[in-house]
Amino acid sequence: MKIGLFIPCYVDAVYPEVGVSAYKLLRHFGLDVSYPVAQTCCGQPMANAGFQRLSEPLIEKFDRLFSAYDYVVAPSASCAAFVRVNHPEIMKGKHECVASRKTMDLVEFLHDVLSIDRLPGHFAHKVSLHNSCHGVRELGLSSASELQIPSYNKIKDLLQLKAGIEVVEPERRDECCGFGGMFAVEETAVSCRMGKDKVSRHIATGAEYVTGPDSSCLMHMAGVAKREGMNIKFVHVAEVLAAGV
């Protein structure tokens, strides 16, 4: 099985340790993992800002680089969702997006494709699970509360395989943290208040860490926590899952 590792912008520029953890984890399970060095942004920032046309060259490049792999795996629910859901919509009638159909978030891939039942190492901490919006409502990483369906959580399933960990969830577990890309820029006060409320609920669980599948959400909450003097740490789920590899 040949895996193309897609490392989104936030990970590449700000949290490279997340990309390293994703690579180590995939290699641990015996996969043939490649990182196309010419890869760039998937086009999500431009498209979300209303400039879909400007994202088209990036979408075409993404498809050229990744279409030959069996799966494209990214440690980012929002970017994986954008590639899979939005790439075909934006390029409809212009370009067949082959790679988009093979693109998955890291958690989704480990849970649904590899169906792992073990993890190396341990993480002896109490962590509060952050369910980011794209992961819940576009990738189905966990059940959306508004649908009133039986509860499930693929992120939690994987985390509970880690020795020593205690996983908890905050009140209103799938409510947005307020990041939302352009929303955080254009509606700063609302975004910050949403972030503060979300971090407060994570802290109320008694957790040492907040973890989740999106560096962007974790970055937003970490910034709010630092500014407000709120004592909790943030770590990407890839780093937790790969601890001890």
Side-chain angles (χ1 to χ4, degrees):
M1 187 184 295
K2 293 184 179 296
I3 307 299
L5 182 61
F6 169 46
I7 300 299
C9 303
Y10 281 110
V11 175
D12 179 57
V14 186
Y15 302 105
E17 62 275 12
V18 174
V20 172
S21 294
Y23 176 80
K24 287 182 177 179
L25 194 58
L26 292 170
R27 290 287 296 152
H28 171 79
F29 289 106
L31 299 172
D32 182 359
V33 185
S34 297
Y35 174 81
V37 295
Q39 64 180 276
T40 58
C41 176
C42 65
Q44 181 174 190
M46 292 78 91
N48 285 351
F51 299 98
Q52 290 189 356
R53 183 177 57 81
L54 297 181
S55 69
E56 292 179 7
L58 296 179
I59 294 173
E60 291 177 352
K61 183 174 184 178
F62 183 95
D63 200 57
R64 286 197 305 272
L65 290 173
F66 287 103
S67 60
Y69 292 99
D70 296 315
Y71 289 96
V72 182
V73 179
S76 170
S78 63
C79 294
F82 181 78
V83 170
R84 200 156 82 215
V85 176
N86 296 95
H87 276 197
E89 292 180 359
I90 293 171
M91 302 304 292
K92 188 175 182 180
K94 304 173 186 177
H95 180 85
E96 182 183 2
C97 297
V98 176
S100 69
R101 298 192 295 267
K102 310 174 185 180
T103 300
M104 305 183 79
D105 171 71
L106 176 67
V107 167
E108 185 182 28
F109 179 75
L110 294 173
H111 188 281
D112 294 354
V113 177
L114 292 190
S115 301
I116 65 170
D117 57 5
R118 57 181 174 79
L119 281 170
H122 68 281
F123 194 79
H125 301 282
K126 186 175 184 179
V127 301
S128 185
L129 177 53
H130 180 69
N131 301 292
S132 54
C133 297
H134 287 89
V136 175
R137 294 173 179 88
E138 292 192 324
L139 297 184
L141 297 186
S142 60
S143 53
S145 56
E146 68 271 13
L147 296 181
Q148 298 185 7
I149 60 177
S151 179
Y152 69 88
N153 195 309
K154 298 175 184 179
I155 313 168
K156 189 175 183 179
D157 289 346
L158 294 184
L159 286 171
Q160 289 178 327
L161 297 174
K162 201 74 178 179
I165 199 168
E166 180 182 355
V167 184
V168 294
E169 290 185 88
E171 182 187 10
R172 299 166 75 164
R173 63 183 182 273
D174 59 356
E175 184 175 79
C176 179
C177 69
F179 175 66
M182 287 300 296
F183 173 75
V185 176
E186 296 178 343
E187 300 290 347
T188 306
V190 179
S191 173
C192 289
R193 180 53 190 263
M194 291 174 70
K196 185 176 180 181
D197 288 349
K198 192 70 180 185
V199 174
S200 295
R201 294 190 181 102
H202 282 301
I203 289 174
T205 66
E208 301 169 68
Y209 289 90
V210 177
T211 193
D214 273 300
S215 291
S216 51
C217 297
L218 296 172
M219 178 184 70
H220 173 66
M221 290 186 288
V224 170
K226 182 177 181 180
R227 189 180 65 185
E228 298 291 335
M230 305 168 85
N231 186 27
I232 196 164
K233 294 173 283 189
F234 298 82
V235 60
H236 194 280
V237 69
E239 296 177 87
V240 179
L241 299 178
V245 173

